[in-house]
Amino acid sequence: MGQDGEDTNTTRLDLSIADENGIWAVTLDGAFVSADDGGMAADVTVDVVKAVMAAMNAGETDWFASIKLDVMDRLVGYRAYSMEKDLDRIKTAETGLWTSLQFGYGDLINVMVAGSPTTPLTMDELYNPITANEGDFMVSAITNPINGLSVSATYVLKGDANDSGNDHGTDEFANGIIGGTANIDIGSLLGLDWNIGVSVSDKYDFGGKNNIFAAAFYTGFDILDFKVQYGLKSYDQYDDEHFFYAGIDFNVVEHLVLDIYGDAYDLSHADESWYLGGNVGYEVSGVTFKLGLEYGAGASYAYDDNYWNDGEQSGKGLWIVPSISVKF
């Protein structure tokens, strides 16, 4: 699993070690079977405010200010709601060395300011390219002013176009992306016993002059959770794309995994871009055994990293995917 939940590699290790007071944390993650270099990434986070408060025996505080160092990693802007196929995601340009400052107050406000210098790859670094980076800068913030309402905004100086939902019109780097998301959990706002909410997101790619808008509706009861989403990709030099997704998670038996999903990458070319799939599995003692089945007319939704592209099909056909995940 990738940093923000996207299936990006075949086999991964995610390991996090932290002290019980939340002062420091170290995370390791990497791919053992990957189309990339297979390298490990490491992040170190230190909350300066909590460290000082602990040293002074001043008790607890809702204020925080953390310094984070990232190696072989990229950063993702805060998201009030994560849209399907990352239509809301804003991601930095390339894997490299990052320094970020995160500060805020409880759940009310969280701000991140991060940067990495341009460090070109040299011949001596070809087999250890941890210092190679395109160079980028990101500012992101998220606020939860009341229970049930969340709003986020992000700007990145360069940004990765392909990993931010674009599949047309921008080559490699976006030369700037700005966007935001809002989530309104109506169930929490009204104190309902069941879940219901709406979310919207919008972002603009300065390099390709492309805009991506998405809206989602979700609801849930004791036995199932339902979600539907629409996404509009408006391109400067290409036809618009109309993404659609619908999914149901069934909660009929404790520890049973059962869900179905489907629709189309582009409703304008639904006959070439539709997909339909589902998962069945069971969790026992922290181990989840799962079998996924899916058919994609143009590309797989769950198992293909590439977004469907008219004329450039990737990953189409029947997928049968067994998996085992372990949490401890």
Side-chain angles (χ1 to χ4, degrees):
M1 299 297 292
Q3 177 184 352
D4 49 12
E6 180 189 12
D7 290 327
T8 53
N9 293 287
T10 304
T11 306
R12 289 189 61 88
L13 168 69
D14 291 329
L15 176 64
S16 179
I17 306 171
D19 75 308
E20 62 181 7
N21 297 317
I23 296 176
W24 60 267
V26 178
T27 62
L28 299 173
D29 57 85
F32 300 108
V33 181
S34 171
D36 302 319
D37 60 12
M40 294 289 294
D43 307 328
V44 179
T45 305
V46 177
D47 191 318
V48 179
V49 172
K50 289 184 177 180
V52 172
M53 296 292 287
M56 298 175 59
N57 294 318
E60 297 183 356
T61 177
D62 288 329
W63 290 99
F64 62 89
S66 299
I67 297 175
K68 186 177 182 182
L69 303 177
D70 300 83
V71 180
M72 286 289 289
D73 211 346
R74 288 192 292 172
L75 301 184
V76 179
Y78 293 134
R79 310 158 82 175
Y81 182 86
S82 298
M83 296 291 178
E84 300 296 321
K85 276 300 175 183
D86 298 310
L87 297 186
D88 66 298
R89 181 172 68 177
I90 299 178
K91 200 168 187 179
T92 54
E94 278 189 341
T95 298
L97 300 173
W98 283 87
T99 301
S100 61
L101 172 64
Q102 302 175 23
F103 58 91
Y105 182 83
D107 292 331
L108 178 62
I109 184 69
N110 192 339
V111 179
M112 174 177 63
V113 180
S116 180
T118 302
T119 51
L121 182 67
T122 66
M123 291 299 295
D124 293 337
E125 296 169 325
L126 284 176
Y127 298 100
N128 188 30
I130 65 169
T131 59
N133 184 43
E134 183 68 21
D136 210 345
F137 175 78
M138 173 178 280
V139 178
S140 185
I142 186 169
T143 179
N144 303 277
I146 58 177
N147 185 30
L149 176 63
S150 182
V151 180
S152 66
T154 299
Y155 169 75
V156 64
L157 179 66
K158 188 165 292 182
D160 187 315
N162 293 330
D163 269 0
S164 297
N166 292 328
D167 60 318
H168 281 309
T170 304
D171 294 330
E172 198 169 5
F173 303 119
N175 293 323
I177 303 175
I178 189 170
T181 62
N183 180 46
I184 304 174
D185 187 337
I186 301 172
S188 296
L189 286 173
L190 300 181
L192 302 177
D193 293 332
W194 47 283
N195 185 31
I196 183 172
V198 293
S199 300
V200 294
S201 71
D202 191 80
K203 65 183 178 184
Y204 182 76
D205 158 22
F206 292 100
K209 299 180 179 178
N210 304 319
N211 191 79
I212 301 178
F213 168 82
F217 168 79
Y218 57 89
T219 186
F221 305 90
D222 291 338
I223 61 172
L224 63 83
D225 295 300
F226 172 75
K227 176 169 58 178
V228 62
Q229 181 186 313
Y230 169 76
L232 172 62
K233 293 187 175 186
S234 301
Y235 293 104
D236 182 53
Q237 300 179 8
Y238 298 87
D239 294 335
D240 291 350
E241 294 182 7
H242 302 270
F243 172 82
F244 199 78
Y245 171 92
I248 302 176
D249 294 336
F250 297 95
N251 308 310
V252 291
V253 178
E254 188 177 5
H255 303 304
L256 177 68
V257 178
L258 182 62
D259 63 72
I260 58 173
Y261 59 86
D263 222 288
Y265 278 95
D266 185 4
L267 294 176
S268 302
H269 299 83
D271 59 329
E272 300 177 284
S273 67
W274 67 270
Y275 55 89
L276 179 64
N279 295 278
V280 60
Y282 195 79
E283 186 271 332
V284 56
S285 300
V287 181
T288 301
F289 303 88
K290 189 168 65 175
L291 178 67
L293 298 174
E294 183 188 327
Y295 185 85
S300 166
Y301 171 82
Y303 308 111
D304 189 1
D305 294 342
N306 298 315
Y307 198 91
W308 176 84
N309 194 320
D310 187 19
E312 299 180 11
Q313 317 300 353
S314 174
K316 62 181 179 181
L318 177 65
W319 291 73
I320 303 174
V321 183
S323 65
I324 299 174
S325 61
V326 181
K327 294 183 180 179
F328 58 92

